[in-house]
């Protein structure tokens, strides 16, 4: 495993709530890190002794190389799993008992620590699993598996190998939280507020709650995050509840003033550390605190929960497969880039100053003949553009398919056609102008992302341009469903 802070300077603490949240997806990880700011040395040693370290480095193979721009980002794989009392976490062994990672969340801390993304991986996902190396030297079989079977058959190491193989994301650290310890954390917090749209009486999970907002603790809290026989009964519905529950835990810790009440804080810290197994790089309060300090300034609304986009598996509707949108999600994690669809809109172009009015156009569309070329645009784009130009008085000489693809629109302007090009440019305001060495007609090349033709000021006639819309892209990925840590628990 790599070093924790990657050589970054930590920031002064300003928002401890954010650090509580980011610690993985379970407050077990989150609350531990605060101890470096408040606990005595004796308590630190006690809590260090609670954390179990398990080194899986020797079992990790064919690992991806972090992207250059993402070398200071941090990816922590958080696993929630059942474990009998006193049972060690499997490193990479063949397991006889039916243990599976019930919850898997990839926590991505941006290199600048300005955002954190918690990606839930559905346990029912069908993925291509690698041949994982086990401690005894044997290997699991490579091939199509249900995602959480990687933990059952090959332990933590195989789960990391599977995530890295299927996503290309390098995993820096891992944390396993057992559910018995999770119960202790919830109880130490005094319970956690949840919201149910309707009453639930599920004998399978033991969840028995009325509708509306209420506080859960103990077995009811565990049943709430694990139950699958409520709502639509899907793993995706369960993931939504888990994400809301994690956010509520942070809100609970904040509203009760946990940091200002040492007796409550110590009980939560003790419960949290007793539930953790991590790689050696995170297996101390000091190491966890180092991560915490690096995100102290992170506002809670910059912590977002995302589920890997899926669709039903054709062979079994109770299983899912990742959609093309998942590729975009993993690319954003690998490249430490904004989530797909979350990039801020470009600022509007400033209005021209009245004192800087453009020179009037000197060439009428009736005097201009253009060739229109499809150079990588959608099908039919050149024909649509030719129609819109003719409506305004332009003459279209030829409609062609180009040999070279361009971005947007490119106007190729022959010698002596500079003034005419100013008129054509009004129809394509953001076009790139390229001077040609010969020829008589302006060439309009439409590439990827080319806009529709605009109305020119000195157009002929008054027939309106058609109201055109882009056809749906069959390969387009649906937008991600993102939940912020500050969202209402009933949302």
């Amino acid at each position: 495993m790599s070093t924790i802070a990657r050589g970054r300077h930590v920031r002064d603490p300003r928002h401890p709530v954010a650090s509580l949240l980011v610690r993985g997806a379970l407050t077990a990880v989150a609350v531990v890190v605060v101890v470096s700011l408040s606990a005595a040395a004796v308590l630190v040693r006690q809590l260090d002794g609670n954390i179990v370290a398990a080194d899986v480095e020797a079992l990790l193979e064919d690992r991806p190389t972090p992207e250059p721009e993402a070398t200071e980002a941090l990816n922590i794989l958080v696993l929630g799993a059942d474990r009998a009392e006193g049972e060690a976490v499997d490193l990479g062994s063949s397991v006889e008992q039916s243990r599976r990672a019930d919850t898997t969340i990839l926590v991505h801390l941006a290199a600048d620590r300005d955002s954190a993304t918690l990606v839930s991986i559905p346990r029912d996902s069908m993925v291509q699993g690698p041949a994982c190396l086990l401690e005894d030297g044997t290997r699991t079989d490579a091939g199509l598996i249900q995602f959480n079977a990687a933990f059952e058959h090959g332990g933590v190491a195989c789960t990391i190998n599977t995530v890295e193989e299927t996503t290309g994301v390098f995993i820096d650290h891992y944390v396993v939280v057992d559910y018995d310890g999770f119960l202790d954390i919830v109880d130490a917090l005094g319970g956690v507020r949840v919201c149910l749209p309707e009453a639930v009486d599920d004998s399978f999970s033991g969840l028995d709650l009325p509708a509306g907002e209420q506080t859960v603790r103990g077995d009811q809290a565990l049943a709430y995050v694990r139950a699958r026989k409520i709502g639509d009964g899907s793993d995706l519905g369960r993931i939504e509840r888990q994400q809301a529950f994690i956010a509520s835990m942070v809100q609970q810790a904040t509203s009760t003033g946990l940091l200002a009440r040492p007796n409550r804080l110590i009980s939560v810290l003790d419960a949290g550390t007793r539930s953790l197994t991590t790689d050696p790089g995170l297996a101390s309060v000091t190491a966890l605190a180092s991560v915490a300090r690096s995100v102290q300034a992170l506002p809670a609304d910059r912590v977002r929960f995302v589920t890997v986009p899926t669709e039903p598996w054709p062979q079994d509707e109770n299983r899912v497969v990742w959609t093309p949108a998942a590729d975009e999600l993993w690319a954003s994690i690998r490249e430490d880039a904004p989530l797909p669809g979350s990039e801020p809109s470009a600022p509007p172009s400033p209005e021209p100053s009245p004192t800087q009015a453009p020179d009037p156009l000197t060439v009428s569309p009736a005097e201009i003949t253009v060739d229109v070329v499809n150079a990588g645009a959608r099908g039919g784009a050149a024909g649509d553009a030719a129609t819109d130009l003719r409506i305004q008085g332009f003459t279209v000489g030829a409609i062609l398919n180009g040999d070279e693809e361009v971005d947007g629109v490119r106007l190729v302007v022959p010698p002596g056609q500079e003034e005419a090009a100013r008129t054509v440019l009004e129809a394509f305001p953001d076009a790139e102008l390229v001077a040609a060495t010969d020829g008589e007609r302006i060439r309009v090349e439409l590439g990827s992302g080319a806009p529709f033709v605009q109305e020119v000021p000195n157009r002929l006639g008054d027939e309106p341009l058609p109201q055109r819309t882009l056809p749906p892209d069959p390969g387009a990925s649906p937008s991600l469903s993102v939940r912020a840590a500050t969202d209402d628990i009933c949302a």
Side-chain angles (χ1 to χ4, degrees):
M1 290 294 172
S2 60
T3 57
I4 295 168
R6 299 270 181 106
R8 288 186 63 83
H9 296 289
V10 298
R11 302 178 182 178
D12 293 332
R14 295 198 299 273
H15 297 283
V17 174
S19 67
L20 285 173
L21 175 63
V22 175
R23 238 37 60 242
L26 294 166
T27 299
V29 185
V31 295
V32 168
V33 298
V34 185
V35 73
S36 65
L37 307 177
S38 59
V42 173
L43 179 59
V44 172
R45 287 197 297 271
Q46 172 189 334
L47 299 179
D48 276 347
N50 287 346
I51 304 172
V52 177
D55 191 355
V56 301
E57 186 72 33
L59 303 177
L60 303 180
E61 302 178 305
D62 300 323
R63 310 198 67 190
T65 301
E67 298 286 344
E69 63 270 28
T71 53
E72 294 190 24
L74 203 61
N75 297 311
I76 304 173
L77 192 66
V78 179
L79 306 170
D82 294 315
R83 184 174 70 192
E85 184 176 355
E87 177 191 347
V89 167
D90 301 305
L91 302 181
S93 58
S94 179
V95 185
E96 296 299 330
Q97 64 271 35
S98 58
R99 285 192 57 212
R100 292 193 177 191
D102 195 65
T103 299
T104 302
I105 299 177
L106 175 60
V107 181
H108 174 77
L109 306 183
D112 59 7
R113 300 303 190 261
D114 184 51
S115 66
T117 304
L118 283 67
V119 184
S120 296
I121 303 177
R123 54 178 285 174
D124 295 338
S125 301
M126 301 303 297
V127 298
Q128 289 294 328
C132 298
L133 177 64
L134 305 179
E135 280 193 293
D136 61 6
T138 62
R139 292 183 179 275
T140 63
D141 293 330
L144 188 66
I145 62 170
Q146 186 172 311
F147 175 78
N148 65 334
F151 189 86
E152 178 190 9
H153 298 146
V156 172
C158 191
T159 302
I160 294 174
N161 277 326
T162 301
V163 172
E164 292 187 337
E165 174 76 16
T166 54
T167 70
V169 175
F170 182 88
I171 303 301
D172 298 283
H173 300 287
Y174 79 85
V175 176
V176 179
V177 183
D178 71 80
Y179 279 112
D180 288 338
F182 172 76
L183 292 181
D184 293 338
I185 299 165
V186 172
D187 289 345
L189 282 170
V192 174
R193 298 288 294 174
V194 299
C195 184
L196 285 171
E198 58 187 24
V200 175
D201 184 3
D202 177 29
S203 59
F204 187 84
S205 66
L207 184 63
D208 184 7
L209 295 173
E213 291 190 44
Q214 58 213 285
T215 299
V216 295
R217 51 176 56 85
D219 291 337
Q220 287 296 290
L222 182 57
Y224 177 83
V225 297
R226 298 193 65 190
R228 297 186 63 181
K229 304 297 182 180
I230 64 175
D232 63 3
S234 69
D235 187 41
L236 301 179
R238 188 177 65 108
I239 286 174
E240 290 179 1
R241 290 197 309 277
Q242 291 175 347
Q243 293 175 346
F245 194 89
I246 295 165
S248 185
M249 291 179 82
V250 176
Q251 296 172 18
Q252 174 74 3
T254 305
S255 63
T256 57
L258 177 66
L259 300 180
R261 302 173 64 180
N263 60 325
R264 290 279 308 282
L265 177 60
I266 290 173
S267 66
V268 173
L269 295 174
D270 188 43
T273 51
R274 281 189 283 107
S275 70
L276 297 184
T277 299
T278 78
D279 60 273
L282 279 185
S284 71
V285 172
T286 302
L288 291 168
S290 176
V291 178
R293 286 193 297 270
S294 75
V295 293
Q296 285 281 352
L298 176 63
D301 62 359
R302 295 286 294 162
V303 180
R304 286 143 320 166
F305 300 87
V306 181
T307 303
V308 178
T310 62
E311 61 188 10
W313 186 36
Q315 299 183 41
D316 183 350
E317 63 180 11
N318 294 316
R319 303 291 180 263
V320 297
V321 291
W322 298 350
T323 69
D327 296 334
E328 299 176 17
L329 170 62
W330 296 128
S332 72
I333 299 297
R334 289 193 303 269
E335 299 166 10
D336 195 33
L339 290 173
S342 66
E343 293 85 348
S345 301
S349 301
E351 294 292 333
S353 169
T355 60
Q356 296 178 336
D359 294 335
L361 300 174
T362 60
V363 181
S364 168
E367 303 173 57
I368 302 172
T369 300
V370 297
D371 293 335
V372 182
V373 181
N374 190 319
R378 61 179 176 83
D384 288 345
T387 297
D388 295 352
L389 290 170
R390 290 191 184 106
I391 288 174
Q392 301 185 78
F394 293 91
T395 299
V396 176
I399 302 175
L400 308 167
N401 287 319
D403 297 328
E404 177 188 0
E405 293 190 358
V406 302
D407 291 327
V409 181
R410 185 166 67 183
L411 302 184
V412 182
V413 183
Q417 296 289 317
E418 289 79 9
E419 281 299 302
R422 291 181 55 229
T423 301
V424 179
L425 190 61
E426 290 291 330
F428 303 97
D430 296 322
E432 174 189 6
L433 292 176
V434 177
T437 57
D438 55 16
E440 298 180 355
R441 297 201 294 248
I442 295 173
R443 182 181 174 97
V444 179
E445 298 180 346
L446 306 176
S448 174
F452 298 125
V453 173
Q454 302 297 303
E455 194 166 43
V456 300
N458 60 344
R459 60 161 291 175
L460 304 183
D462 54 8
E463 179 185 349
L465 297 181
Q467 295 294 318
R468 302 194 184 279
T469 58
L470 291 174
D473 180 2
S477 301
S479 59
L480 293 174
S481 176
V482 180
R483 180 189 186 94
T486 52
D487 286 354
D488 190 297
I489 62 172
C490 291

